[in-house]
Amino acid sequence: MNTFLSRANTIFAFTLSVMAVLTFGCFASTFLNDNLAHVNIKTAKPIVKNMPDYSVSREKNDLGFITFDLRADLNPIFNWNVKQLFLYLTAEYVTGKNVINQVVLWDQIIKRGDNSILDYHGMNPKYYFWDDGNGLRANKNVTLTLSWNVIPNAGTLPKVMGSGSHSFAFPESYASNHF
Amino acid sequence: MGFIDNLDFLDDVRRMNKRQLYYQVLNFGMIVSSALMIWKGLMVVTGSESPIVVVLSGSMEPAFFRGDLLFLTNYKEEPIRVGEIVVFKVEGREIPIVHRVLKVHEKSVCFAFILLFILGSLLLLREDGSVKFLTKGDNNQVDDRGLYAAGQHWLQKKDVVGRARGYVPYVGTVTILMNDYPKFKYLILASLGIFVLIHRE
């Protein structure tokens, strides 16, 4: 039974099992990490307009505009089983129409080896802050949080919210629709 | 010489008697049915109709590449929140899509509704229509409204096949190959079948 094929088969099977064990070890060694970090968020210049989002319908919805500052050091989260972090800035608020509204305003991918110290000032959101209805004007409590989805080389996909949030209020009246 | 060597394995078959041949066939059936049992068992445990999926597109790069493997769960009581990676089906499209949730709006439930809901849940399992959400692929420039069915602006819980919980790279590459080259699939299936039938323990 010492043919070329049987030897190739043995080597292949052994390689596969070694790789499986290593992969599992990689997952097990980082399974208990909490992946937490502190985040500083600030906002400026919240205004709100009332206009139609034509990608959905002709009805007028509230559209919020803000700029934000973001400071965080995410370096401690990275280890050998973190391929990338997917960061996203969420605005969460309550309206008369919906008990829970979550809108992602901005996101970013940080791969291992990229700069993982965030220090942004006066950033514009990446996505439009459309409400589902007219619940942004005079909304007293819109909370911004930064969360991240840890993408491993192999393993679970934890979703972690950074400690430190920021709440702000939208003004009582609509801004004019002219840009 | 080489030709005769190659025929060696046929000797094994020739030396088998009837009883042994039946055994081999039954063994083959065992393998197939236990694979099926594991799959169905996983469906029960995870609550998802397809607990393991292979990533078929590059729309979630660089997180997931083509041929990576995802483990899904789909527990009804777990709420859908922003940032989660969901696998969903759209009417008119066979293949489920793996994308991330970008927006969630959950309707307030007024008192009359709560009463109705309690009564209703006693009678039948409620289809939860109070949550709507929008998705987007990490690697796509725009959200998924263009992918949804005509006139559909939001996804609902009933569209969800599962949420990504675990990730292993590369393991599904063979599936990708089989999908891209159907002949390769038949070759693999045929050779596996022949191997199991012929091979003697």
Side-chain angles (χ1 to χ4, degrees):
Chain A
M1 287 308 277
N2 288 323
T3 62
F4 172 74
L5 266 183
S6 72
R7 286 178 181 181
N9 185 34
T10 312
I11 288 175
F12 183 64
F14 184 65
T15 314
L16 270 192
S17 35
V18 168
M19 273 160 68
V21 168
L22 278 178
T23 309
F24 185 81
C26 203
F27 152 69
S29 66
T30 55
F31 179 61
L32 294 173
N33 289 3
D34 60 4
N35 301 308
L36 277 174
H38 187 74
V39 183
N40 268 315
I41 308 173
K42 283 199 193 90
T43 49
K45 299 188 279 184
I47 58 170
V48 58
K49 294 179 177 182
N50 192 240
M51 53 203 298
D53 176 6
Y54 286 114
S55 69
V56 179
S57 72
R58 284 154 198 268
E59 263 174 57
K60 281 189 168 183
N61 284 345
D62 278 5
L63 173 61
F65 292 89
I66 56 164
T67 62
F68 62 89
D69 300 346
L70 202 59
R71 265 192 305 123
D73 180 6
L74 302 177
N75 209 32
I77 297 174
F78 281 89
N79 58 52
W80 65 356
N81 195 21
V82 175
K83 184 165 77 177
Q84 71 162 56
L85 293 183
F86 182 88
L87 309 178
Y88 52 99
L89 184 76
T90 313
E92 188 161 354
Y93 56 97
V94 180
T95 59
K97 193 176 170 190
N98 297 305
V99 257
I100 293 170
N101 295 277
Q102 291 185 317
V103 179
V104 172
L105 300 182
W106 174 87
D107 60 24
Q108 177 159 321
I109 291 166
I110 301 185
K111 291 197 222 168
R112 186 169 46 174
D114 289 358
N115 177 26
S116 52
I117 297 169
L118 307 181
D119 194 3
Y120 296 118
H121 289 279
M123 287 281 285
N124 285 309
K126 194 169 153 186
Y127 306 109
Y128 283 113
F129 191 171
W130 284 110
D131 179 42
D132 174 42
N134 301 303
L136 287 187
R137 184 177 65 91
N139 198 315
K140 290 280 169 281
N141 192 5
V142 179
T143 306
L144 288 185
T145 50
L146 186 77
S147 316
W148 42 88
N149 183 207
V150 182
I151 311 285
N153 290 317
T156 54
L157 300 156
K159 226 171 52 133
V160 185
M161 185 187 283
S163 63
S165 63
H166 174 77
S167 297
F168 67 95
F170 274 111
E172 300 282 340
S173 58
Y174 290 124
S176 72
N177 274 351
H178 306 291
F179 281 98
Chain B
M1 237 344 237
F3 181 66
I4 294 166
D5 277 350
N6 280 343
L7 282 181
D8 267 357
F9 75 93
L10 279 180
D11 270 359
D12 278 348
V13 182
R14 221 170 286 138
R15 266 187 270 125
M16 282 181 198
N17 53 26
K18 232 177 199 168
R19 190 180 287 263
Q20 214 154 14
L21 203 69
Y22 289 150
Y23 176 77
Q24 294 289 88
V25 171
L26 281 179
N27 209 9
F28 184 64
M30 260 316 251
I31 291 170
V32 172
S33 50
S34 44
L36 196 71
M37 269 170 65
I38 290 173
W39 182 252
K40 292 285 175 188
L42 273 179
M43 277 170 78
V44 172
V45 173
T46 60
S48 169
E49 56 182 281
S50 61
I52 298 173
V53 294
V54 175
V55 178
L56 293 175
S57 85
S59 61
M60 285 297 279
E61 283 175 22
F64 307 143
F65 290 84
R66 277 178 56 120
D68 293 349
L69 208 68
L70 292 178
F71 296 92
L72 312 180
T73 63
N74 194 18
Y75 302 123
K76 286 279 174 277
E77 65 277 8
E78 269 179 28
I80 287 182
R81 291 292 174 257
V82 133
E84 213 160 1
I85 300 165
V86 294
V87 181
F88 58 92
K89 267 189 182 157
V90 173
E91 233 175 281
R93 277 171 192 268
E94 269 302 297
I95 300 164
I97 302 171
V98 185
H99 279 175
R100 195 184 293 277
V101 177
L102 188 72
K103 272 179 144 189
V104 175
H105 295 294
E106 199 166 317
K107 275 250 151 58
S108 28
V109 188
C110 65
F111 259 102
F113 259 124
I114 291 174
L115 269 176
L116 259 178
F117 164 61
I118 293 168
L119 287 172
S121 60
L122 288 174
L123 292 171
L124 59 143
L125 283 171
R126 189 183 61 144
E127 191 63 64
D128 195 345
S130 63
V131 186
K132 57 181 184 179
F133 57 97
L134 178 67
T135 53
K136 174 182 171 291
D138 290 0
N139 200 23
N140 291 351
Q141 292 301 312
V142 291
D143 61 47
D144 288 348
R145 284 211 170 109
L147 293 176
Y148 298 164
Q152 183 183 11
H153 301 305
W154 303 94
L155 291 181
Q156 292 182 332
K157 258 192 169 171
K158 65 173 165 51
D159 302 314
V160 175
V161 175
R163 304 102 179 273
R165 289 280 173 263
Y167 165 78
V168 186
Y170 305 122
V171 181
T173 314
V174 184
T175 316
I176 294 272
L177 281 176
M178 291 204 290
N179 258 348
D180 291 356
Y181 310 99
K183 278 180 187 162
F184 179 72
K185 175 164 69 186
Y186 298 127
L187 186 82
I188 288 223
L189 284 179
S191 48
L192 268 182
I194 288 172
F195 177 78
V196 171
L197 286 178
I198 281 178
H199 190 69
R200 279 173 96 186
E201 290 294 310

